[in-house]
Amino acid sequence: MTEPLAPGAVIGILGGGQLGRMLSVAASRLGFRCHIYDPAEGPPAADVAWKSTTGAWEDAAALAAFARGVDVVTYEFENVPADSLDAIEAEAPVFPPRAALATSQDRLTEKNFLTRLGLATAAYAAAASVADIDLALGTIAGPAILKTRRLGYDGKGQATLSGPADAAAAFERIGGEEAIVEGRVFFARELSVIAARGRDGRVIAFEPGENVHRDGILRTTTVPSAAPRTTRAEAVEIATAILEALDYVGVIGVELFETGDGLLVNEFAPRVHNSGHWTMDGGTPCQFEAHIRAIAGWPLPQPVRTADVVMENLVGEEAERAVGLATEPGAALHLYGKADMRPGRKMGHLNRVTPV
Amino acid sequence: MTEPLAPGAVIGILGGGQLGRMLSVAASRLGFRCHIYDPAEGPPAADVAWKSTTGAWEDAAALAAFARGVDVVTYEFENVPADSLDAIEAEAPVFPPRAALATSQDRLTEKNFLTRLGLATAAYAAAASVADIDLALGTIAGPAILKTRRLGYDGKGQATLSGPADAAAAFERIGGEEAIVEGRVFFARELSVIAARGRDGRVIAFEPGENVHRDGILRTTTVPSAAPRTTRAEAVEIATAILEALDYVGVIGVELFETGDGLLVNEFAPRVHNSGHWTMDGGTPCQFEAHIRAIAGWPLPQPVRTADVVMENLVGEEAERAVGLATEPGAALHLYGKADMRPGRKMGHLNRVTPV
């Protein structure tokens, strides 16, 4: 176990979107300074960071220089090329560990990892051709979804498969990339667990939230969920098993489906997660601070929840309602400082709180 | 009533200490960017601000240039020279209004203002010489305190007066400056009210806190106070009267004494206040966000409190305990990113929360 980072230390963050922005603010509360690395000029996180560098993900030299000036590196952007990560790791420790990143970046690797851990997932099969899709649909009963193995998020890189007749069109729609066929899951609820593991191996978890998606984008997370207590406890156990198997350090977001056959793991994100934004107004610490504590080698106290929260994402033009929403007592507004409002773009979120 | 500032607007903050730092973070949540002006290089607020300028308080040209680049100006530092404020006001609106600043900067003006409002204060008299002090002690029964009219804070610029024999030494101790003699108040509790008034005249108030000082420095604020409900309601009414009399915009901190003869107003600060730091973990909005909303012309919703809080300041070397304190569940830590630890310097604070 290394010494905890002292206040005044510098945390490097790969990616300057809203997650980097909220991480930077949380780090400042512990006396840390943040240096943001992002390909765009003036990304949201730069407004509240000590320093920011504009550079490409492929620029290993720029990334190495960035890493030399910080005490630890973390990321909100999960698709940094492996060569660039090599250059960074030669200069500073990177958390969460790369094994977690490599596992979650590839849907097939992720599903295989979860299966090996004995965790239930949707039925799945690898598919790199229309013939593979046909074959998979033969073993997976009922409707399915074709998903690219890499780089899919917020509903992108996906196509529905009602049956073999859809295979060719679906494969074309996802760009003919390596993919998996996943049996469609009929679920009562989608839950997510935000949990953290420290450099000392200690695990903490926030109260599981209940998610509602629309058009593949998270719309609301409600805490507490109406799921039975035993189900929520099981969800936390699953997240803990994943953290331990990955020898993880930092915050993870694990999405699960509550089905008639029990909990299925959908996927995990090796970073702070949109479904954990409620923690910013629901008690202490928030997920962003938990992440910073973990990667800095600080202790991780069990979260104390002081409020029930409904988190609502403000997507695209919904952000125009922001000042109006700001009149509602107990509605905590969080805008991300994004200049361009685009359809489907996450512009901010609102946490509606009531005392527990 | 002017239009509310749109997200993306720039807020100028005079002073880059911990108050400016926490204001900048709160402003970012509403999508604003902050520009800090401070005489020191790399002040605490610059770690979490969009931009910062290093310049003297007397440099009217630099201040005017600063003000030209922002949409509204506010301050954490109360002693900006009048000429400099003139230069700023020629370029951008300044909130809270200068009348409030002028009143609170001078203890005699402040006491006279409160008296004219019909609010009770400690007995007081102006004193610009040892003879004045003698005269004052004749009318103020019992022990008293000599305080400079200007620039006193955290116990500086003060001397105790047990009787006329102390007059000469006390006057020397405060540097022979224009002063007031204030009758010492025997109180059951010190309360403070953090309240805000919007550009539309709407007033909101946080639950009054109970303060404990040591060596002239605030040590803890406890919310809720054990004071009777009627006393707490009266404290809020007093703060409201002050806000309205000053045609105030922004957050004010009003300190009061609960005595056998009712509430006495001690003083007010025309800014966010240390005794309001509990609001950062006690519900929504916090005092910093309330201030930003007010000066930006945004609506001010009534605060929703979700936690009981004991706020403890970390003064000087107490900050060394920070990582240790960080193990306590429900203890929200806030460090200010100050490089130099000096005795008596406020380095951070801790909010211990329990659900309401």
Side-chain angles (χ1 to χ4, degrees), chain B residues 302-316:
Chain B
Q302 191 58 39
V304 170
R305 189 165 67 84
T306 57
D308 292 347
V309 187
V310 180
M311 187 286 301
E312 182 189 348
N313 273 333
L314 300 175
V315 179

Side-chain angles (χ1 to χ4, degrees), chain A residues 248-338:
Chain A
Y248 198 87
V249 173
V251 160
I252 199 168
V254 182
E255 292 187 359
L256 308 108
F257 297 125
E258 187 190 351
T259 74
D261 300 322
L263 284 172
L264 304 185
V265 182
N266 180 30
E267 60 182 13
F268 67 85
R271 51 166 171 79
V272 288
H273 194 255
N274 194 165
S275 66
H277 290 2
W278 68 267
T279 60
M280 298 178 84
D281 298 290
T284 184
C286 69
Q287 67 163 344
F288 301 98
E289 183 175 329
H291 185 75
I292 297 293
R293 281 171 175 261
I295 67 168
W298 279 39
L300 278 176
Q302 191 56 40
V304 170
R305 190 165 67 86
T306 57
D308 291 347
V309 187
V310 179
M311 187 287 300
E312 182 188 347
N313 272 334
L314 300 174
V315 179
E317 62 188 14
E318 288 170 1
E320 284 171 6
R321 294 189 291 137
V323 182
L325 289 166
T327 60
E328 223 182 275
L333 183 64
H334 299 266
L335 294 179
Y336 304 151
K338 296 182 182 176

